[in-house]
Amino acid sequence: MIDPFLVLATRVVEVEDGGLASYHGDYEYYLAKKGEIPQPSGQPSAASARAIHESPLQPLTQNSKLETQNLSKEERLRSREEEKQRQKEERQRQKRLAELERAIEVEEGRLAELEGRMADPAFFADREAARIAGEEHVLLSARIAGLYEEWETIHGE
């Protein structure tokens, strides 16, 4: 069994019983079409939404190759555009992840600096400054938690 997390496929070609079947989509889409992954009723998977076309092929002959080339020109162009869009979205996702990582680093630095000041027993001699620092600690901690939550959400996509 191939681990689907290690495969980045845009097309799966199955060779079986002397024939070919082409599934334009990722490995998850292929498994769904083969009936190995049950699909929730009324809810197409993200893989099937991305799928361009599925067509079982007979053993390739010169004529079928020409027909496939002629019939799939529009399909190839559409596929190329969809792939460009996916790549653009992936670049945007990676950019946002990097921004979040930088923001987390900055906020954690601020929190560490604040905790360093708060570690000094003399820090709490000024009750008002200690109260303000405590509130700042709560705000920084919440902000960091929010950044991590967003990072995990985006990273999991």
Side-chain angles (χ1 to χ4, degrees), residues 74-98:
E74 274 185 33
E75 200 172 85
R76 285 193 317 263
L77 291 173
R78 186 174 42 250
S79 174
R80 193 173 306 133
E81 289 302 316
E82 289 174 358
E83 182 59 27
K84 284 181 184 179
Q85 182 63 29
R86 279 192 292 271
Q87 288 174 351
K88 178 182 176 186
E89 290 169 1
E90 180 60 20
R91 283 190 304 272
Q92 290 171 342
R93 189 178 79 84
Q94 291 298 326
K95 181 181 176 185
R96 181 61 183 149
L97 284 172

PDB file of all heavy atoms in Angstrom, residues 74-98:
ATOM      1  N   GLU A  74      -8.045  21.099 -24.535  1.00  0.00           N
ATOM      2  CA  GLU A  74      -8.752  22.021 -23.645  1.00  0.00           C
ATOM      3  C   GLU A  74      -8.604  21.572 -22.203  1.00  0.00           C
ATOM      4  O   GLU A  74      -8.417  22.387 -21.301  1.00  0.00           O
ATOM      5  CB  GLU A  74     -10.240  22.077 -23.999  1.00  0.00           C
ATOM      6  CG  GLU A  74     -10.591  23.047 -25.080  1.00  0.00           C
ATOM      7  CD  GLU A  74     -12.083  23.122 -25.287  1.00  0.00           C
ATOM      8  OE1 GLU A  74     -12.842  22.963 -24.310  1.00  0.00           O
ATOM      9  OE2 GLU A  74     -12.497  23.359 -26.431  1.00  0.00           O
ATOM     10  N   GLU A  75      -8.710  20.291 -22.013  1.00  0.00           N
ATOM     11  CA  GLU A  75      -8.592  19.719 -20.679  1.00  0.00           C
ATOM     12  C   GLU A  75      -7.204  20.004 -20.098  1.00  0.00           C
ATOM     13  O   GLU A  75      -7.069  20.352 -18.929  1.00  0.00           O
ATOM     14  CB  GLU A  75      -8.814  18.214 -20.784  1.00  0.00           C
ATOM     15  CG  GLU A  75      -9.186  17.541 -19.515  1.00  0.00           C
ATOM     16  CD  GLU A  75      -9.568  16.114 -19.824  1.00  0.00           C
ATOM     17  OE1 GLU A  75      -8.644  15.276 -19.882  1.00  0.00           O
ATOM     18  OE2 GLU A  75     -10.758  15.849 -19.997  1.00  0.00           O
ATOM     19  N   ARG A  76      -6.163  19.845 -20.921  1.00  0.00           N
ATOM     20  CA  ARG A  76      -4.803  20.117 -20.455  1.00  0.00           C
ATOM     21  C   ARG A  76      -4.639  21.591 -20.100  1.00  0.00           C
ATOM     22  O   ARG A  76      -4.020  21.938 -19.094  1.00  0.00           O
ATOM     23  CB  ARG A  76      -3.783  19.707 -21.515  1.00  0.00           C
ATOM     24  CG  ARG A  76      -3.587  18.209 -21.627  1.00  0.00           C
ATOM     25  CD  ARG A  76      -2.369  17.850 -22.453  1.00  0.00           C
ATOM     26  NE  ARG A  76      -2.178  18.620 -23.664  1.00  0.00           N
ATOM     27  CZ  ARG A  76      -2.557  18.244 -24.887  1.00  0.00           C
ATOM     28  NH1 ARG A  76      -3.143  17.077 -25.051  1.00  0.00           N
ATOM     29  NH2 ARG A  76      -2.355  19.012 -25.928  1.00  0.00           N
ATOM     30  N   LEU A  77      -5.207  22.477 -20.911  1.00  0.00           N
ATOM     31  CA  LEU A  77      -5.133  23.909 -20.614  1.00  0.00           C
ATOM     32  C   LEU A  77      -5.856  24.231 -19.309  1.00  0.00           C
ATOM     33  O   LEU A  77      -5.340  24.976 -18.471  1.00  0.00           O
ATOM     34  CB  LEU A  77      -5.730  24.735 -21.762  1.00  0.00           C
ATOM     35  CG  LEU A  77      -4.936  24.743 -23.067  1.00  0.00           C
ATOM     36  CD1 LEU A  77      -5.717  25.461 -24.161  1.00  0.00           C
ATOM     37  CD2 LEU A  77      -3.579  25.390 -22.862  1.00  0.00           C
ATOM     38  N   ARG A  78      -7.034  23.662 -19.151  1.00  0.00           N
ATOM     39  CA  ARG A  78      -7.804  23.879 -17.919  1.00  0.00           C
ATOM     40  C   ARG A  78      -7.034  23.315 -16.721  1.00  0.00           C
ATOM     41  O   ARG A  78      -6.926  23.944 -15.679  1.00  0.00           O
ATOM     42  CB  ARG A  78      -9.181  23.233 -18.042  1.00  0.00           C
ATOM     43  CG  ARG A  78     -10.088  23.527 -16.869  1.00  0.00           C
ATOM     44  CD  ARG A  78     -11.515  23.017 -17.033  1.00  0.00           C
ATOM     45  NE  ARG A  78     -11.631  21.696 -17.609  1.00  0.00           N
ATOM     46  CZ  ARG A  78     -12.107  21.427 -18.824  1.00  0.00           C
ATOM     47  NH1 ARG A  78     -12.528  22.411 -19.597  1.00  0.00           N
ATOM     48  NH2 ARG A  78     -12.196  20.186 -19.264  1.00  0.00           N
ATOM     49  N   SER A  79      -6.460  22.148 -16.913  1.00  0.00           N
ATOM     50  CA  SER A  79      -5.676  21.517 -15.853  1.00  0.00           C
ATOM     51  C   SER A  79      -4.474  22.377 -15.480  1.00  0.00           C
ATOM     52  O   SER A  79      -4.157  22.553 -14.305  1.00  0.00           O
ATOM     53  CB  SER A  79      -5.210  20.137 -16.307  1.00  0.00           C
ATOM     54  OG  SER A  79      -4.356  19.569 -15.367  1.00  0.00           O
ATOM     55  N   ARG A  80      -3.804  22.920 -16.487  1.00  0.00           N
ATOM     56  CA  ARG A  80      -2.640  23.771 -16.245  1.00  0.00           C
ATOM     57  C   ARG A  80      -3.039  25.014 -15.450  1.00  0.00           C
ATOM     58  O   ARG A  80      -2.355  25.415 -14.514  1.00  0.00           O
ATOM     59  CB  ARG A  80      -1.998  24.162 -17.574  1.00  0.00           C
ATOM     60  CG  ARG A  80      -0.625  24.771 -17.423  1.00  0.00           C
ATOM     61  CD  ARG A  80       0.080  24.996 -18.749  1.00  0.00           C
ATOM     62  NE  ARG A  80       0.141  23.787 -19.544  1.00  0.00           N
ATOM     63  CZ  ARG A  80      -0.173  23.708 -20.840  1.00  0.00           C
ATOM     64  NH1 ARG A  80      -0.547  24.793 -21.492  1.00  0.00           N
ATOM     65  NH2 ARG A  80      -0.096  22.574 -21.488  1.00  0.00           N
ATOM     66  N   GLU A  81      -4.170  25.628 -15.828  1.00  0.00           N
ATOM     67  CA  GLU A  81      -4.643  26.815 -15.114  1.00  0.00           C
ATOM     68  C   GLU A  81      -5.006  26.475 -13.666  1.00  0.00           C
ATOM     69  O   GLU A  81      -4.703  27.233 -12.750  1.00  0.00           O
ATOM     70  CB  GLU A  81      -5.851  27.442 -15.831  1.00  0.00           C
ATOM     71  CG  GLU A  81      -5.497  28.117 -17.138  1.00  0.00           C
ATOM     72  CD  GLU A  81      -4.458  29.209 -16.974  1.00  0.00           C
ATOM     73  OE1 GLU A  81      -4.558  30.023 -16.034  1.00  0.00           O
ATOM     74  OE2 GLU A  81      -3.502  29.246 -17.780  1.00  0.00           O
ATOM     75  N   GLU A  82      -5.661  25.333 -13.483  1.00  0.00           N
ATOM     76  CA  GLU A  82      -6.013  24.919 -12.128  1.00  0.00           C
ATOM     77  C   GLU A  82      -4.761  24.636 -11.303  1.00  0.00           C
ATOM     78  O   GLU A  82      -4.695  24.976 -10.122  1.00  0.00           O
ATOM     79  CB  GLU A  82      -6.924  23.693 -12.163  1.00  0.00           C
ATOM     80  CG  GLU A  82      -8.308  24.015 -12.660  1.00  0.00           C
ATOM     81  CD  GLU A  82      -9.182  22.789 -12.851  1.00  0.00           C
ATOM     82  OE1 GLU A  82      -8.703  21.657 -12.622  1.00  0.00           O
ATOM     83  OE2 GLU A  82     -10.351  22.966 -13.233  1.00  0.00           O
ATOM     84  N   GLU A  83      -3.759  24.053 -11.926  1.00  0.00           N
ATOM     85  CA  GLU A  83      -2.500  23.778 -11.234  1.00  0.00           C
ATOM     86  C   GLU A  83      -1.807  25.089 -10.868  1.00  0.00           C
ATOM     87  O   GLU A  83      -1.272  25.229  -9.768  1.00  0.00           O
ATOM     88  CB  GLU A  83      -1.575  22.910 -12.091  1.00  0.00           C
ATOM     89  CG  GLU A  83      -0.283  22.555 -11.419  1.00  0.00           C
ATOM     90  CD  GLU A  83      -0.433  21.791 -10.122  1.00  0.00           C
ATOM     91  OE1 GLU A  83      -1.445  21.081  -9.954  1.00  0.00           O
ATOM     92  OE2 GLU A  83       0.451  21.908  -9.267  1.00  0.00           O
ATOM     93  N   LYS A  84      -1.820  26.064 -11.761  1.00  0.00           N
ATOM     94  CA  LYS A  84      -1.241  27.376 -11.455  1.00  0.00           C
ATOM     95  C   LYS A  84      -1.954  28.006 -10.262  1.00  0.00           C
ATOM     96  O   LYS A  84      -1.318  28.594  -9.392  1.00  0.00           O
ATOM     97  CB  LYS A  84      -1.343  28.314 -12.663  1.00  0.00           C
ATOM     98  CG  LYS A  84      -0.345  28.030 -13.753  1.00  0.00           C
ATOM     99  CD  LYS A  84      -0.528  29.044 -14.874  1.00  0.00           C
ATOM    100  CE  LYS A  84       0.376  28.762 -16.043  1.00  0.00           C
ATOM    101  NZ  LYS A  84       0.165  29.735 -17.130  1.00  0.00           N
ATOM    102  N   GLN A  85      -3.275  27.890 -10.232  1.00  0.00           N
ATOM    103  CA  GLN A  85      -4.055  28.444  -9.132  1.00  0.00           C
ATOM    104  C   GLN A  85      -3.699  27.735  -7.825  1.00  0.00           C
ATOM    105  O   GLN A  85      -3.523  28.382  -6.794  1.00  0.00           O
ATOM    106  CB  GLN A  85      -5.560  28.323  -9.419  1.00  0.00           C
ATOM    107  CG  GLN A  85      -6.439  28.909  -8.345  1.00  0.00           C
ATOM    108  CD  GLN A  85      -6.259  30.406  -8.158  1.00  0.00           C
ATOM    109  OE1 GLN A  85      -5.914  31.129  -9.082  1.00  0.00           O
ATOM    110  NE2 GLN A  85      -6.478  30.871  -6.947  1.00  0.00           N
ATOM    111  N   ARG A  86      -3.579  26.405  -7.870  1.00  0.00           N
ATOM    112  CA  ARG A  86      -3.203  25.651  -6.665  1.00  0.00           C
ATOM    113  C   ARG A  86      -1.808  26.076  -6.183  1.00  0.00           C
ATOM    114  O   ARG A  86      -1.585  26.236  -4.986  1.00  0.00           O
ATOM    115  CB  ARG A  86      -3.226  24.147  -6.927  1.00  0.00           C
ATOM    116  CG  ARG A  86      -4.613  23.544  -6.857  1.00  0.00           C
ATOM    117  CD  ARG A  86      -4.551  22.031  -6.832  1.00  0.00           C
ATOM    118  NE  ARG A  86      -4.079  21.450  -8.079  1.00  0.00           N
ATOM    119  CZ  ARG A  86      -4.842  21.113  -9.104  1.00  0.00           C
ATOM    120  NH1 ARG A  86      -6.134  21.301  -9.055  1.00  0.00           N
ATOM    121  NH2 ARG A  86      -4.310  20.577 -10.195  1.00  0.00           N
ATOM    122  N   GLN A  87      -0.886  26.265  -7.127  1.00  0.00           N
ATOM    123  CA  GLN A  87       0.467  26.680  -6.753  1.00  0.00           C
ATOM    124  C   GLN A  87       0.459  28.078  -6.133  1.00  0.00           C
ATOM    125  O   GLN A  87       1.159  28.338  -5.157  1.00  0.00           O
ATOM    126  CB  GLN A  87       1.388  26.644  -7.974  1.00  0.00           C
ATOM    127  CG  GLN A  87       1.731  25.242  -8.425  1.00  0.00           C
ATOM    128  CD  GLN A  87       2.520  25.230  -9.719  1.00  0.00           C
ATOM    129  OE1 GLN A  87       2.693  26.246 -10.387  1.00  0.00           O
ATOM    130  NE2 GLN A  87       3.011  24.043 -10.082  1.00  0.00           N
ATOM    131  N   LYS A  88      -0.354  28.971  -6.697  1.00  0.00           N
ATOM    132  CA  LYS A  88      -0.468  30.324  -6.158  1.00  0.00           C
ATOM    133  C   LYS A  88      -1.012  30.277  -4.732  1.00  0.00           C
ATOM    134  O   LYS A  88      -0.492  30.943  -3.831  1.00  0.00           O
ATOM    135  CB  LYS A  88      -1.388  31.163  -7.047  1.00  0.00           C
ATOM    136  CG  LYS A  88      -1.603  32.570  -6.559  1.00  0.00           C
ATOM    137  CD  LYS A  88      -2.552  33.329  -7.464  1.00  0.00           C
ATOM    138  CE  LYS A  88      -2.846  34.717  -6.922  1.00  0.00           C
ATOM    139  NZ  LYS A  88      -3.858  35.404  -7.710  1.00  0.00           N
ATOM    140  N   GLU A  89      -2.056  29.475  -4.531  1.00  0.00           N
ATOM    141  CA  GLU A  89      -2.638  29.340  -3.197  1.00  0.00           C
ATOM    142  C   GLU A  89      -1.631  28.736  -2.222  1.00  0.00           C
ATOM    143  O   GLU A  89      -1.562  29.157  -1.068  1.00  0.00           O
ATOM    144  CB  GLU A  89      -3.910  28.503  -3.258  1.00  0.00           C
ATOM    145  CG  GLU A  89      -5.047  29.210  -3.946  1.00  0.00           C
ATOM    146  CD  GLU A  89      -6.229  28.298  -4.254  1.00  0.00           C
ATOM    147  OE1 GLU A  89      -6.179  27.088  -3.911  1.00  0.00           O
ATOM    148  OE2 GLU A  89      -7.206  28.793  -4.836  1.00  0.00           O
ATOM    149  N   GLU A  90      -0.842  27.782  -2.681  1.00  0.00           N
ATOM    150  CA  GLU A  90       0.175  27.167  -1.821  1.00  0.00           C
ATOM    151  C   GLU A  90       1.254  28.179  -1.458  1.00  0.00           C
ATOM    152  O   GLU A  90       1.716  28.225  -0.315  1.00  0.00           O
ATOM    153  CB  GLU A  90       0.793  25.938  -2.497  1.00  0.00           C
ATOM    154  CG  GLU A  90       1.850  25.248  -1.679  1.00  0.00           C
ATOM    155  CD  GLU A  90       1.396  24.722  -0.329  1.00  0.00           C
ATOM    156  OE1 GLU A  90       0.172  24.538  -0.114  1.00  0.00           O
ATOM    157  OE2 GLU A  90       2.260  24.487   0.528  1.00  0.00           O
ATOM    158  N   ARG A  91       1.670  29.006  -2.409  1.00  0.00           N
ATOM    159  CA  ARG A  91       2.655  30.052  -2.108  1.00  0.00           C
ATOM    160  C   ARG A  91       2.102  31.026  -1.068  1.00  0.00           C
ATOM    161  O   ARG A  91       2.810  31.434  -0.138  1.00  0.00           O
ATOM    162  CB  ARG A  91       3.062  30.808  -3.375  1.00  0.00           C
ATOM    163  CG  ARG A  91       4.041  30.054  -4.251  1.00  0.00           C
ATOM    164  CD  ARG A  91       4.601  30.940  -5.358  1.00  0.00           C
ATOM    165  NE  ARG A  91       3.586  31.547  -6.196  1.00  0.00           N
ATOM    166  CZ  ARG A  91       3.059  31.006  -7.289  1.00  0.00           C
ATOM    167  NH1 ARG A  91       3.461  29.822  -7.690  1.00  0.00           N
ATOM    168  NH2 ARG A  91       2.151  31.652  -7.994  1.00  0.00           N
ATOM    169  N   GLN A  92       0.821  31.402  -1.226  1.00  0.00           N
ATOM    170  CA  GLN A  92       0.193  32.307  -0.264  1.00  0.00           C
ATOM    171  C   GLN A  92       0.113  31.657   1.114  1.00  0.00           C
ATOM    172  O   GLN A  92       0.353  32.312   2.138  1.00  0.00           O
ATOM    173  CB  GLN A  92      -1.205  32.703  -0.740  1.00  0.00           C
ATOM    174  CG  GLN A  92      -1.198  33.616  -1.932  1.00  0.00           C
ATOM    175  CD  GLN A  92      -2.584  33.838  -2.523  1.00  0.00           C
ATOM    176  OE1 GLN A  92      -3.518  33.076  -2.266  1.00  0.00           O
ATOM    177  NE2 GLN A  92      -2.721  34.883  -3.331  1.00  0.00           N
ATOM    178  N   ARG A  93      -0.196  30.377   1.149  1.00  0.00           N
ATOM    179  CA  ARG A  93      -0.274  29.648   2.410  1.00  0.00           C
ATOM    180  C   ARG A  93       1.097  29.598   3.085  1.00  0.00           C
ATOM    181  O   ARG A  93       1.222  29.873   4.283  1.00  0.00           O
ATOM    182  CB  ARG A  93      -0.789  28.225   2.148  1.00  0.00           C
ATOM    183  CG  ARG A  93      -1.118  27.436   3.385  1.00  0.00           C
ATOM    184  CD  ARG A  93      -1.665  26.053   3.016  1.00  0.00           C
ATOM    185  NE  ARG A  93      -0.628  25.124   2.659  1.00  0.00           N
ATOM    186  CZ  ARG A  93       0.080  24.414   3.547  1.00  0.00           C
ATOM    187  NH1 ARG A  93      -0.155  24.530   4.823  1.00  0.00           N
ATOM    188  NH2 ARG A  93       1.004  23.582   3.152  1.00  0.00           N
ATOM    189  N   GLN A  94       2.145  29.300   2.313  1.00  0.00           N
ATOM    190  CA  GLN A  94       3.498  29.250   2.857  1.00  0.00           C
ATOM    191  C   GLN A  94       3.938  30.631   3.357  1.00  0.00           C
ATOM    192  O   GLN A  94       4.600  30.743   4.391  1.00  0.00           O
ATOM    193  CB  GLN A  94       4.484  28.722   1.808  1.00  0.00           C
ATOM    194  CG  GLN A  94       4.307  27.262   1.467  1.00  0.00           C
ATOM    195  CD  GLN A  94       4.523  26.353   2.653  1.00  0.00           C
ATOM    196  OE1 GLN A  94       5.342  26.611   3.521  1.00  0.00           O
ATOM    197  NE2 GLN A  94       3.771  25.260   2.703  1.00  0.00           N
ATOM    198  N   LYS A  95       3.571  31.673   2.627  1.00  0.00           N
ATOM    199  CA  LYS A  95       3.913  33.036   3.034  1.00  0.00           C
ATOM    200  C   LYS A  95       3.244  33.372   4.364  1.00  0.00           C
ATOM    201  O   LYS A  95       3.878  33.929   5.265  1.00  0.00           O
ATOM    202  CB  LYS A  95       3.479  34.029   1.949  1.00  0.00           C
ATOM    203  CG  LYS A  95       3.801  35.466   2.271  1.00  0.00           C
ATOM    204  CD  LYS A  95       3.331  36.399   1.171  1.00  0.00           C
ATOM    205  CE  LYS A  95       3.569  37.851   1.550  1.00  0.00           C
ATOM    206  NZ  LYS A  95       3.013  38.769   0.568  1.00  0.00           N
ATOM    207  N   ARG A  96       1.964  33.016   4.494  1.00  0.00           N
ATOM    208  CA  ARG A  96       1.241  33.300   5.742  1.00  0.00           C
ATOM    209  C   ARG A  96       1.836  32.506   6.902  1.00  0.00           C
ATOM    210  O   ARG A  96       1.958  33.024   8.017  1.00  0.00           O
ATOM    211  CB  ARG A  96      -0.254  32.999   5.572  1.00  0.00           C
ATOM    212  CG  ARG A  96      -1.066  33.292   6.808  1.00  0.00           C
ATOM    213  CD  ARG A  96      -1.005  34.769   7.203  1.00  0.00           C
ATOM    214  NE  ARG A  96      -1.737  34.991   8.432  1.00  0.00           N
ATOM    215  CZ  ARG A  96      -1.434  35.920   9.314  1.00  0.00           C
ATOM    216  NH1 ARG A  96      -0.439  36.746   9.099  1.00  0.00           N
ATOM    217  NH2 ARG A  96      -2.129  36.050  10.411  1.00  0.00           N
ATOM    218  N   LEU A  97       2.212  31.249   6.657  1.00  0.00           N
ATOM    219  CA  LEU A  97       2.840  30.446   7.709  1.00  0.00           C
ATOM    220  C   LEU A  97       4.139  31.109   8.183  1.00  0.00           C
ATOM    221  O   LEU A  97       4.400  31.173   9.389  1.00  0.00           O
ATOM    222  CB  LEU A  97       3.119  29.025   7.212  1.00  0.00           C
ATOM    223  CG  LEU A  97       1.916  28.090   7.113  1.00  0.00           C
ATOM    224  CD1 LEU A  97       2.309  26.793   6.429  1.00  0.00           C
ATOM    225  CD2 LEU A  97       1.317  27.825   8.479  1.00  0.00           C
ATOM    226  N   ALA A  98       4.940  31.604   7.239  1.00  0.00           N
ATOM    227  CA  ALA A  98       6.191  32.271   7.602  1.00  0.00           C
ATOM    228  C   ALA A  98       5.911  33.542   8.411  1.00  0.00           C
ATOM    229  O   ALA A  98       6.609  33.823   9.395  1.00  0.00           O
ATOM    230  CB  ALA A  98       6.997  32.595   6.351  1.00  0.00           C
TER     231      ALA A  98
END
